[in-house]
Each structure stands twice: as structure tokens, then as C-alpha cells.
């Protein structure tokens, strides 16, 4: 029997076996069956005491773990369950006593740079008034959910770090994200909940309304917003702008060449619009010119207007086409530039955040869409004011063989431009429609069958609820919860059977939790989501009245189980992660494959879309690790760093070639149908080598990656505006971090770099 | 950007106290600068090694 025990507050006191005896008795009494004799309790108490004997002083948590094990080992399953609940209840009480007000104090009196809790999500500025307000709400809500809403064992599993319920603060409120079809939304105009907007008539208003739609939806959901068909959606705006520009130019031509008054020229053009059947477009210019040259001379003659020959009509048409194309191109660039600026500056959530936006494009080969894609990439390459790299929208270039991947494909030039842009600005990322698990849905030219990704990596496509509607638009994730995989492996102590048993229990628990949350979500009405449901953004919500339940239409969404730290899991099970050993890779694929099978099975049984997610885990990477480090100490290769490795990634510290990394990670993309991403780190010089960059993307496509990108350092000196790799010294102005540069030097540099930032009042 | 200028030896200096902005991809999206990263992600970023081709 150990002589001492370490209490939760770290104090070491004398070991007292009667406390174990008392706890077991209490749990057994609470059950009311499986009656245990005092002798039996005594045997168990001795077993527990013996099992924690050793050189180290045992902790209360360790002793409690052993009690659970012994109860289960001796077949007292119900008593074990009662004991677990008793522990969970006490864990909650302990937390309740200390936590909420301490959290509020920390939020109030400490800066984000000193308080990790204020940097949980890097895109929220928690130092601002509204950012802090948002955190008060968020932390208060989590407290409420843990203590008053969640079933006890689920709350305990979340608090103790077996699982993590993402966006738990929104548990009672809404869903994660949605893929917005702007084409449907714009048709006939829409209402944001704060005013009605007419159907846009120009590419500039298309782009502006795209931002507004993203913003309006973001305020009704807790995750991000994505436009899955940005090129298709904006093409309509370009078409309208072109038409307007064409007729304006046509009128100008006659004003200048024929000395017509503006009124006459306009009257002529309106007669053209009414009488020449077709409309001029970028693509069908020639046909319209032909029709014009046939109709106009006769029209002039018959009405006794001044003569215009067929040849002259053709010349007017040629001028109008040329001018309209150039004007439309300019307008489109402005529109895309404004979109990027707006999405980086417009507020959501009371000003604490900009909307989390993603846009997918690359496959529409119409000249209008191509103009959109080209100008968006050029505007992204230019950057924000003073040349800053835009953070939003997350851009995803959809790669498809026969459309843009190979020389000769109609959008191949845009793929090349995307590579150049990404090599400078980190965006776009690349998605791969030829990956078999994406290709199975693809129908040429139908954007609703092209898989799209949310910026963070979420993917929504398959639909067991309605197999005829395996589409991207109008759908999204409802909620997701992640499992702490490394912990299960640590506890299994190399016993694979035990590992799978615990994993299955955890998956069961998470499924139960996701359904618990789903029931709450199903209790909402259309009027709870004036934009998402009220404007028909979510699939089938257009068929519902304002007071109707959203339960049925929510079934188009996904419920996802996520995971973190496959690398550490494999380390714990076999001593090697999947980058180090082919055996571990095999086991890794078995584990993740098993999780996926469980999701598919659950989908079949419930008719709901259960999917497996390679969790993004921004805040979680540290949270699980910290709890586990406290529990198990610093286990080499498992808990000895400050984070768990993201999803199925090869650890970031492990030296491996880009190609090998991609090859090893690709098969996991096929298994994680709720979303995935792989990235490789290239150094700054490789990145400027566009062929090398492209070879990485092509390898991703070949290996069956679904979504990927290339990381490289993008540093910027705000003083001289230099963007690129900066070591200790800025290569342009020569200053070190924090040093000043003389005005003279900046003036000198500006002669060479006219777009450098300006310093108001100094120059 | 906040401007801080000082006159050192009668030369106006710009940029004292101003750091470099370092933009990194975090989980699929970008982050304005490393200062906003949480501690774990900062440690992870710091551990990242470059992948050769």
C-alpha cells in the first residue's frame, strides 16, 4: 500500500484506504443492485491500493482510474458506471467553483498576448471591446452547457479531454456552415433581414452583394461561409456589364462618326436592342454583329433616317465589342479588388471578426467566368492597400482534368496563373475533382456536382438522407466533435484490442452527443434564421413558411466525428509514426478506416449524414495535449511537445520530402469524407520556382489528395512594404525588427518602389 | 500602422518599435500575423521543417 497520495491541488498527504472503501460503497449503494459485501469491497480496495504502489507518489486521478478498472474487471459494470458518473459530477463541481469568474477576470484584466484563452481563434481580436464581450458570452455559455444541458457522462468526457465538442458555446443555437448558391439567391433579389436588395445588374454589384450574403449568413451560423461556384455565379454579372458597355459604346460610335446627337444615338441603340433578336456577349459577338449589319441599314432606310451601310454597322460593332471587352475587364478587376478588400475589412459578430469566407472557382470555362477568375487572381496577387497579403477570402482553385489541368485544357492558363498567385500570396489552395471520392459525383458543367471545400477543410457532398440530392449548394456541416486519439493509445499500453474497444466506446459516446445536439437544432424554426432559412439559402428551406420547423431540411447537413494526433497515437501503439514505418502507416489506415466504417454504418442506420473529419483543430491541438501532459507526464514522441499533430498529418518536425509526405497522407483523404487537407512546407526560393511549385500540385493530383496547398513564408515589412522572406534584416530597407529607418532612405527607396507605404504628415 | 518617429541626430526615423508581419497558414486558412496564434500553434509553427523535393 502506498504511504502517500498527491491531491489535486498538488499537496501530498497520507494515503487513506478507507476513502477508497467509502467511495466504492457509495457507488454500489447508488446502483441498488449488484450488492457488494464489505469483504468484497475490502478486496477491491486492496487491489486498487496495490496497483498504485511504486516509486512515484500516486495522484487522486490515478487511484480513481484504478477503481474504475477493478470494478470493471470484477464484473460490477453498473457500479463502475455509477462511480464514473460520481467522478464526473465532482469534476464539474470543482470546475464550477473556480472557473467562470476566474475566466472573466482573465478576459477582463489580461491582454491577449499574455492570455492564451484570448487567442483560441486567431481571427478574433479579443483585445477589443466587442471581442471581449463575445468571449464573456462564449465562456458563460460553455459553462451553462456543461453544467445544465449536457448529459453528465458527456460533459465529463468533454471536460476531462476524452472528446472535444467544437463550438460548444453555440450548442443551443445554430449550425456550423453553409455552401451558398449565389445564383439562386440573386435571382429576383433578396433580403438580408435588414432590407431588400434588388437583383444586381453589374459585376461590381454582384461582387458587393456576394460579400453581403456571406456576411448575413455568417451572423446566423457559428462556422464559416463558402461560395462553392464563385466563377459560375459572377459570370452572370460580367455578362450584364458587358451588354451595358456594348450598347453604350455603340451609341458613342454613332455620336462621334455620324455626329448624331446623344438622344438620336440612344434611340438608335434602343431600337437595336428591341429588334435584333439576340444579345451581344463576349462569346457570341460575331453572330450579333452579323445580325446588326443585316438589320440596321434597312431600318435606317425604311424610317427615312440617315443611311448606315452594312459595312459601317460592322465597324460600329467591332468598336463596341473592343471597347466593351476592355471596359468590362476593368470593371471586373475593380469588382474583384473590392471583394477582396471588403472581405478583409467588413465586420461580423459585433465587430470582433471579419466573416470567415471561402470561395471556390476554376472550372467554368465561359469567357465571362474566365474574366472573373483571371481578375480575382490578379487582384489577389496585387494584395491589399500597401501590398499586404489578403487573409480572406480563403480561395480554392478547383482542379479538373480536361478543364484546367493539362496544356490544351480551356482553363489551363488560369491554373498557371493560380500557381503564380499562390507562390506569392499562399492562396489559392487547390482542390482535386479527379480524386476518385470527388469524381464519383462529378457531372461536366454542373457546379452542383463539383465538390467544394470550406477554407478550413470541411467537405459536404454525399447525402444518405436524399441520395438524389448529393449536391454542394445549400448544404453544410451541422456540428462536429473530436476524439482524443493519442489518449486512447496511451491507455491501451500497446494492446490493440483494448485500443479498438475504447475507440468504439468513444465513437458511441460522440454519436450520442451529436444526436443530442441535433435534437436541439431540430427544435428551431425558420424565423430563427431569417437569412439562412428565410431566404432559402439552405437546401429545401424555400419550401418552408416562417413558423415551420427546420428539422426535416437539416437532415441534408452532416454530423461529423473528428480526430487529432494520429501520429502520436501510432507512436504510443508501435513506437513509430506513419512517416517512420510502413507498418505504422498500415495501422494508421486501419484505424482511420475503422472510424470511417463506423460513420457509414451509423448513416445507414439513422438516415443521417455521419461523416469522418480530419479536424482542423486550431485551439484543440494545445488543449488535449495540456490535459494529457498533466495526466501522463511527458511521454517521448507522444506528449513531449506543446501540441498534438494535426489530424493524420506527418509530424511537422519530421524531416521528409514533400513528395513522400503527400504520398503517405493521400490515402487518408479518401477516408475522411467530412474534410481534409495536406500541405507541404517549401522554402522561399523553391517557391519562386513555379515549375517546382507546380510539380508538387501535380503530385497531389496524382496521389489522390482531395484538398491541398503549399506553405511558404510570407513576411512583410510594414515600413518599406517589402513582401517575401525576411530573416533578421529586411532585404529592402535594411532595418531589423523594431528599428527605425530614416526618411531620406525611404524617399530614396520610393524612387525604385513607387508603391511603398506612405507616412502621412512626414513626407 | 501606428507611426512612431524620432529625431535621431536630426534625422527623422520611421518604424521604431514596429515588427515584421509574418503570415502563416494555420489549419487551411491564413492568419494575419503570428502574434494572434495560440501557444500550441505557435510552438507547432516554430517546429515546422521545410520539405525538400
Amino acid at each position: 500500500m502506498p504511504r502517500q497520495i498527491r491531491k489535486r491541488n498538488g499537496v501530498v498527504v497520507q494515503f487513506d484506504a478507507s476513502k477508497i472503501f467509502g467511495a466504492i460503497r457509495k457507488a454500489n449503494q447508488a446502483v441498488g443492485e449488484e450488492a457488494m459485501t464489505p469483504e468484497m469491497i475490502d478486496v477491491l480496495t486492496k487491489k486498487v491500493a496495490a496497483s498504485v504502489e511504486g516509486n512515484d507518489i500516486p495522484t487522486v486521478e490515478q487511484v480513481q482510474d484504478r477503481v474504475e478498472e477493478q470494478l470493471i474487471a470484477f464484473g460490477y459494470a453498473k457500479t463502475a458506471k455509477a462511480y464514473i458518473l460520481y467522478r464526473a459530477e465532482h469534476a464539474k463541481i470543482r470546475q464550477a467553483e473556480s472557473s467562470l469568474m476566474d475566466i472573466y477576470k482573465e478576459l477582463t484584466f489580461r491582454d491577449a498576448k499574455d492570455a492564451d484563452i484570448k487567442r483560441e481563434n486567431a481571427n478574433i481580436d479579443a483585445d477589443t471591446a466587442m471581442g471581449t464581450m463575445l468571449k464573456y458570452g462564449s465562456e458563460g455559455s460553455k459553462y451553462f452547457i456543461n453544467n445544465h444541458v449536457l448529459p453528465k457522462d458527456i460533459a465529463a468526457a468533454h471536460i476531462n479531454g476524452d472528446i472535444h465538442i467544437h463550438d460548444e458555446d453555440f450548442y443551443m443555437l445554430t449550425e456550423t456552415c453553409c455552401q451558398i448558391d449565389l445564383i439562386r439567391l440573386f435571382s429576383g433579389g433578396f433580403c438580408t433581414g435588414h432590407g431588400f436588395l434588388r437583383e444586381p445588374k453589374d459585376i461590381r454589384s454582384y461582387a458587393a452583394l456576394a460579400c453581403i450574403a456571406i456576411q448575413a449568413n455568417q451572423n446566423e451560423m457559428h462556422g464559416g461561409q463558402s461560395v462553392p461556384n464563385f466563377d459560375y455565379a459572377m459570370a452572370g454579372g460580367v455578362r450584364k456589364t458587358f451588354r451595358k458597355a456594348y450598347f453604350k459604346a455603340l451609341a458613342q460610335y454613332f455620336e462621334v462618326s455620324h455626329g448624331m446627337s446623344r438622344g438620336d444615338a440612344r434611340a438608335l441603340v434602343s431600337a437595336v436592342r428591341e429588334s435584333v433578336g439576340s444579345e451581344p456577349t463576349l462569346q457570341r459577338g460575331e453572330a450579333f454583329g452579323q445580325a446588326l449589319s443585316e438589320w440596321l441599314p434597312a431600318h435606317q432606310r425604311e424610317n427615312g433616317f440617315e443611311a448606315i451601310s452594312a459595312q459601317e454597322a460592322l465597324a460600329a460593332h467591332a468598336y463596341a465589342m473592343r471597347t466593351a471587352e476592355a471596359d468590362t475587364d476593368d470593371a471586373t478587376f475593380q469588382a474583384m479588388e473590392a471583394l477582396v478588400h471588403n472581405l478583409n475589412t467588413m465586420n461580423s459578430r459585433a465587430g470582433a471578426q471579419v466573416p470567415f469566407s471561402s470561395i471556390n472557382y476554376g472550372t467554368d470555362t465561359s469567357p465571362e467566368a474566365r474574366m472573373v477568375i483571371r481578375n480575382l487572381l490578379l487582384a489577389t496577387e496585387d494584395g491589399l492597400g500597401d501590398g499586404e497579403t489578403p487573409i480572406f477570402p480563403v480561395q480554392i482553385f478547383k482542379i479538373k482534368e480536361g478543364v484546367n489541368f493539362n496544356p490544351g485544357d480551356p482553363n489551363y492558363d488560369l491554373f498557371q496563373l493560380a500557381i503564380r498567385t499562390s507562390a506569392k500570396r499562399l492562396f489559392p489552395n487547390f482542390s482535386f475533382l479527379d480524386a476518385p471520392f470527388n469524381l464519383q459525383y462529378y457531372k461536366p458543367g454542373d457546379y452542383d456536382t463539383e465538390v467544394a471545400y470550406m477554407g478550413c477543410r470541411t467537405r459536404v457532398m454525399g447525402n444518405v438522407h436524399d441520395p438524389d440530392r448529393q449536391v454542394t449548394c445549400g448544404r453544410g456541416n451541422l456540428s462536429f466533435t473530436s476524439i482524443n486519439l493519442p489518449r486512447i493509445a496511451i491507455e491501451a499500453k500497446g494492446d490493440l484490442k483494448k485500443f479498438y474497444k475504447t475507440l468504439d466506446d468513444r465513437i458511441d459516446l460522440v454519436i450520442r452527443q451529436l444526436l443530442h445536439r441535433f435534437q436541439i437544432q431540430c427544435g428551431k424554426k425558420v424565423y430563427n434564421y431569417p437569412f439562412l432559412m428565410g431566404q432559402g439559402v439552405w437546401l429545401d428551406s424555400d419550401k418552408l413558411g416562417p413558423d415551420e420547423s427546420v428539422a426535416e431540411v437539416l437532415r441534408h447537413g452532416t454530423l461529423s466525428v473528428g480526430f487529432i494526433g494520429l501520429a502520436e497515437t501510432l507512436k504510443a501503439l508501435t513506437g513509430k509514426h506513419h512517416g517512420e514505418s510502413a507498418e505504422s502507416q498500415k495501422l494508421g489506415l486501419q484505424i482511420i478506416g475503422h472510424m470511417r466504417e463506423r460513420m457509414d454504418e451509423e448513416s445507414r442506420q439513422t438516415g443521417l449524414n455521419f461523416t469522418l473529419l480530419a479536424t482542423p483543430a486550431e485551439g484543440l491541438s494545445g488543449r488535449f495535449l495540456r490535459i494529457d501532459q498533466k495526466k501522463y507526464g511527458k511521454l517521448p514522441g507522444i506528449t513531449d511537445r506543446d501540441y498534438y499533430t494535426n489530424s493524420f498529418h506527418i509530424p511537422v518536425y519530421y524531416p521528409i520530402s514533400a513528395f513522400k509526405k503527400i504520398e503517405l497522407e493521400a490515402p487518408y483523404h479518401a477516408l475522411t469524407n467530412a474534410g481534409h487537407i495536406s500541405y507541404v512546407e517549401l522554402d522561399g526560393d523553391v517557391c519562386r520556382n513555379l515549375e517546382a511549385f507546380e510539380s508538387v500540385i501535380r503530385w497531389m493530383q496524382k496521389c489522390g489528395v482531395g484538398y491541398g496547398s503549399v506553405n511558404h513564408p510570407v513576411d512583410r515589412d510594414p515600413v518599406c512594404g517589402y513582401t517575401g522572406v525576411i530573416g533578421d534584416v529586411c532585404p529592402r530597407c535594411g532595418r531589423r525588427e523594431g528599428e527605425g529607418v530614416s526618411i531620406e532612405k525611404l524617399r530614396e527607396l520610393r524612387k525604385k518602389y513607387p508603391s511603398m507605404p506612405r507616412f502621412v504628415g512626414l513626407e | 500602422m501606428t507611426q512612431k518617429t524620432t529625431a535621431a541626430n536630426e534625422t527623422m526615423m520611421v518604424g521604431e518599435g514596429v515588427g515584421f508581419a509574418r503570415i502563416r497558414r494555420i489549419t487551411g486558412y491564413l492568419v494575419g500575423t503570428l502574434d494572434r496564434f495560440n501557444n500550441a500553434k505557435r510552438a507547432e509553427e516554430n517546429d515546422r521543417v521545410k520539405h525538400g523535393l
Side-chain angles (χ1 to χ4, degrees):
Chain A
M1 190 176 296
R3 297 209 337 265
Q4 293 176 307
I5 184 166
R6 191 182 304 276
K7 292 174 65 175
R8 283 192 185 79
N9 58 13
V11 177
V12 176
V13 297
Q14 200 161 10
F15 187 82
D16 179 2
S18 74
K19 292 211 164 163
I20 299 176
F21 187 96
I24 297 175
R25 194 180 54 193
K26 244 190 194 163
N28 186 244
Q29 283 166 352
V31 175
E33 42 187 317
E34 289 185 343
M36 294 165 82
T37 60
E39 289 74 29
M40 188 64 226
I41 298 177
D42 204 42
V43 168
L44 284 175
T45 304
K46 291 210 169 92
K47 283 255 178 203
V48 171
S51 72
V52 290
E53 219 166 27
N55 295 330
D56 298 332
I57 299 172
T59 65
V60 172
E61 292 287 337
Q62 281 166 344
V63 172
Q64 292 188 330
D65 285 348
R66 296 296 97 78
V67 172
E68 280 181 32
E69 281 173 15
Q70 292 302 330
L71 283 171
I72 292 165
F74 278 79
Y76 292 106
K78 291 192 172 124
T79 306
K81 196 168 178 204
Y83 183 77
I84 293 167
L85 287 177
Y86 160 88
R87 274 183 83 180
E89 193 70 5
H90 278 75
K92 264 165 47 180
I93 292 166
R94 272 195 308 281
Q95 198 218 10
E97 282 165 358
S98 67
S99 60
L100 188 60
M101 289 308 126
D102 285 347
I103 288 171
Y104 275 21
K105 276 181 203 154
E106 189 166 0
L107 290 175
T108 312
F109 298 117
R110 293 180 70 192
D111 283 342
K113 70 175 165 44
D114 306 317
D116 200 42
I117 190 172
K118 295 178 90 166
R119 282 179 277 116
E120 204 170 75
N121 184 322
N123 290 310
I124 295 179
D125 184 353
D127 277 332
T128 60
M130 291 306 157
T132 306
M133 196 66 197
L134 204 66
K135 286 300 272 180
Y136 285 151
S138 166
E139 294 300 329
S141 169
K142 285 186 207 167
Y143 177 83
F144 172 67
I145 303 301
N146 281 331
N147 290 285
H148 300 280
V149 175
L150 287 174
K152 285 187 177 64
D153 58 332
I154 292 176
H158 173 69
I159 291 168
N160 77 23
D162 283 344
I163 65 168
H164 183 84
I165 301 169
H166 294 270
D167 301 294
E168 190 199 15
D169 44 346
F170 282 92
Y171 205 88
M172 304 302 292
L173 304 174
T174 182
E175 293 76 38
T176 312
C177 52
C178 185
Q179 304 180 133
I180 307 171
D181 186 356
L182 293 175
I183 296 177
R184 283 201 52 196
L185 183 70
F186 287 175
S187 164
F190 66 94
C191 180
T192 61
H194 303 282
F196 182 80
L197 296 158
R198 275 194 309 267
E199 182 171 333
K201 296 202 162 36
D202 179 279
I203 182 59
R204 281 160 292 216
S205 36
Y206 264 68
L209 293 200
C211 297
I212 288 170
I214 287 169
Q215 183 187 38
N217 226 30
Q218 165 94 18
N219 280 320
E220 293 185 9
M221 306 191 86
H222 59 247
Q225 296 302 323
S226 140
V227 177
N229 55 346
F230 186 76
D231 42 359
Y232 293 91
M234 291 299 114
V238 171
R239 210 163 288 130
K240 290 176 186 174
T241 298
F242 177 81
R243 200 156 56 212
K244 224 185 324 181
Y246 176 92
F247 287 118
K248 192 176 164 198
L250 196 66
Q252 279 166 350
Y253 181 88
F254 290 113
E255 272 184 71
V256 174
S257 67
H258 276 244
M260 273 188 201
S261 71
R262 176 156 290 191
D264 287 351
R266 280 189 180 163
L268 182 151
V269 164
S270 40
V272 170
R273 293 189 79 156
E274 269 168 42
S275 309
V276 179
S278 62
E279 290 275 12
T281 64
L282 278 164
Q283 201 154 24
R284 290 194 308 270
E286 219 165 290
F288 188 83
Q290 198 55 43
L292 179 75
S293 69
E294 283 161 18
W295 178 83
L296 189 55
H299 168 78
Q300 295 296 97
R301 212 165 40 239
E302 283 157 21
N303 289 290
F305 299 148
E306 60 188 288
I308 296 175
S309 68
Q311 200 179 3
E312 224 172 342
L314 280 176
H317 165 74
Y319 168 78
M321 281 299 288
R322 214 164 48 234
T323 309
E325 184 166 353
D327 287 356
T328 307
D329 200 42
D330 287 350
T332 305
F333 181 79
Q334 281 169 20
M336 294 306 120
E337 194 180 40
L339 175 112
V340 172
H341 278 72
N342 281 340
L343 287 178
N344 281 284
T345 51
M346 69 199 299
N347 287 329
S348 86
R349 299 199 179 132
Q353 253 182 313
V354 294
F356 196 114
S357 55
S358 308
I359 57 177
N360 293 256
Y361 56 83
T363 47
D364 186 342
T365 54
S366 72
E368 291 84 5
R370 287 174 44 75
M371 195 177 262
V372 168
I373 299 169
R374 192 180 63 249
N375 282 301
L376 175 62
L377 289 167
L378 292 174
T380 304
E381 196 177 31
D382 275 2
L384 299 177
D386 290 345
E388 287 170 52
T389 294
I391 304 302
F392 287 113
V394 178
Q395 299 186 30
I396 299 115
F397 189 92
K398 297 193 257 193
I399 286 177
K400 178 75 195 73
E401 276 180 10
V403 177
N404 53 29
F405 190 56
N406 292 311
D409 290 350
N411 280 0
Y412 180 69
D413 56 332
L414 297 174
F415 172 44
Q416 297 296 305
L417 182 59
I419 287 171
R420 193 178 89 194
T421 309
S422 193
K424 182 169 178 196
R425 296 296 185 185
L426 294 159
F427 283 152
N429 298 343
F430 295 88
S431 69
F432 300 91
L433 301 186
D434 293 305
F437 50 91
N438 288 337
L439 191 63
Q440 69 181 102
Y441 301 103
Y442 179 80
K443 293 185 195 119
D446 179 0
Y447 60 75
D448 234 353
T449 66
E450 295 177 359
V451 166
Y453 286 84
M454 290 278 165
C456 61
R457 67 183 70 180
T458 307
R459 171 185 178 279
V460 176
M461 194 69 200
N463 192 352
V464 293
H465 164 60
D466 187 350
D468 294 334
R469 314 282 285 287
Q470 317 219 62
V471 295
T472 47
C473 290
R475 304 176 61 212
N477 174 257
L478 303 175
S479 79
F480 62 106
T481 296
S482 294
I483 293 176
N484 184 345
L485 272 191
R487 174 181 291 184
I488 302 177
I490 295 168
E491 297 271 352
K493 299 195 174 74
D495 179 350
L496 261 185
K497 241 174 114 182
K498 188 174 175 199
F499 173 82
Y500 276 111
K501 170 78 182 62
T502 317
L503 177 57
D504 279 334
D505 289 347
R506 290 287 141 79
I507 295 174
D508 286 341
L509 180 87
V510 172
I511 288 172
R512 191 151 54 83
Q513 179 273 315
L514 290 170
L515 289 170
H516 176 260
R517 188 171 189 165
F518 181 61
Q519 283 312 314
I520 295 168
Q521 293 169 323
C522 284
K524 303 285 173 187
K525 302 276 168 46
V526 168
Y527 62 71
N528 293 122
Y529 312 91
F531 191 75
L532 175 70
M533 301 289 177
Q535 293 299 307
V537 173
W538 188 270
L539 192 60
D540 284 345
S541 65
D542 54 340
K543 296 172 187 155
L544 301 175
D547 295 324
E548 285 189 82
S549 160
V550 298
E552 188 60 21
V553 300
L554 282 183
R555 298 172 77 92
H556 287 302
T558 58
L559 297 165
S560 305
V561 175
F563 64 92
I564 188 169
L566 179 67
E568 288 79 9
T569 304
L570 294 169
K571 271 279 199 195
L573 288 173
T574 71
K576 286 183 174 153
H577 61 67
H578 49 323
E580 292 171 315
S581 132
E583 280 299 304
S584 296
Q585 167 76 348
K586 216 171 118 195
L587 179 60
L589 286 168
Q590 269 166 17
I591 294 170
I592 303 308
H594 174 79
M595 295 181 79
R596 170 62 187 275
E597 275 166 30
R598 291 289 317 271
M599 295 300 101
D600 289 351
E601 178 57 30
E602 201 59 32
S603 296
R604 275 192 293 275
Q605 282 177 17
T606 58
L608 291 166
N609 295 304
F610 278 93
T611 52
L612 183 65
L613 175 67
T615 303
E618 184 182 340
L620 190 55
S621 61
R623 179 178 175 250
F624 276 165
L625 185 280
R626 280 191 299 275
I627 306 177
D628 286 353
Q629 216 170 52
K630 231 179 241 168
K631 207 166 160 160
Y632 309 108
K634 290 195 174 191
L635 307 173
I638 307 168
T639 57
D640 58 349
R641 293 177 189 260
D642 292 330
Y643 53 89
Y644 277 144
T645 296
N646 195 294
S647 62
F648 53 69
H649 289 179
I650 303 289
V652 296
Y653 57 80
Y654 183 70
I656 187 170
S657 86
F659 294 114
K660 186 77 189 159
K661 182 175 194 286
I662 291 164
E663 203 179 304
L664 287 172
E665 290 182 1
Y668 295 96
H669 285 237
L671 298 172
T672 45
N673 54 342
H676 39 244
I677 189 171
S678 282
Y679 28 74
V680 294
E681 308 282 327
L682 296 189
D683 73 31
D685 298 329
V686 174
C687 204
R688 265 185 264 296
N689 175 353
L690 297 186
E691 274 168 38
F693 194 106
E694 183 173 348
S695 70
V696 170
I697 304 297
R698 299 195 85 84
W699 187 245
M700 287 181 176
Q701 197 265 0
K702 192 161 187 290
C703 292
V705 161
Y707 182 36
S709 60
V710 174
N711 289 346
H712 50 90
V714 175
D715 302 330
R716 182 172 173 277
D717 183 353
V719 173
C720 69
Y722 176 80
T723 299
V725 183
I726 306 181
D728 292 333
V729 177
C730 173
R732 184 182 285 176
C733 69
R735 77 180 189 108
R736 282 166 191 280
E737 194 140 23
E739 282 178 1
V741 187
S742 72
I743 287 282
E744 280 71 40
K745 175 134 196 208
L746 287 177
R747 278 195 194 121
E748 203 51 45
L749 283 170
R750 178 156 297 113
K751 288 178 192 153
K752 239 168 116 185
Y753 308 103
S755 65
M756 269 172 51
R758 297 204 163 263
F759 295 91
V760 183
L762 295 173
E763 305 172 69
Chain B
M1 189 191 105
T2 34
Q3 299 161 13
K4 196 176 161 193
T5 54
T6 50
N9 304 326
E10 294 172 22
T11 328
M12 290 291 277
M13 301 292 281
V14 179
E16 282 184 3
V18 176
F20 298 137
R22 300 187 188 274
I23 294 182
R24 299 292 180 269
R25 195 184 316 274
I26 182 162
T27 70
Y29 45 92
L30 302 182
V31 165
T33 141
L34 276 169
D35 316 340
R36 294 272 195 88
F37 276 46
N38 66 46
N39 297 347
K41 277 285 161 190
R42 239 182 245 189
E44 190 218 272
E45 204 281 333
N46 194 41
D47 283 356
R48 287 180 186 179
V49 295
K50 300 286 174 213
H51 301 119
L53 292 181

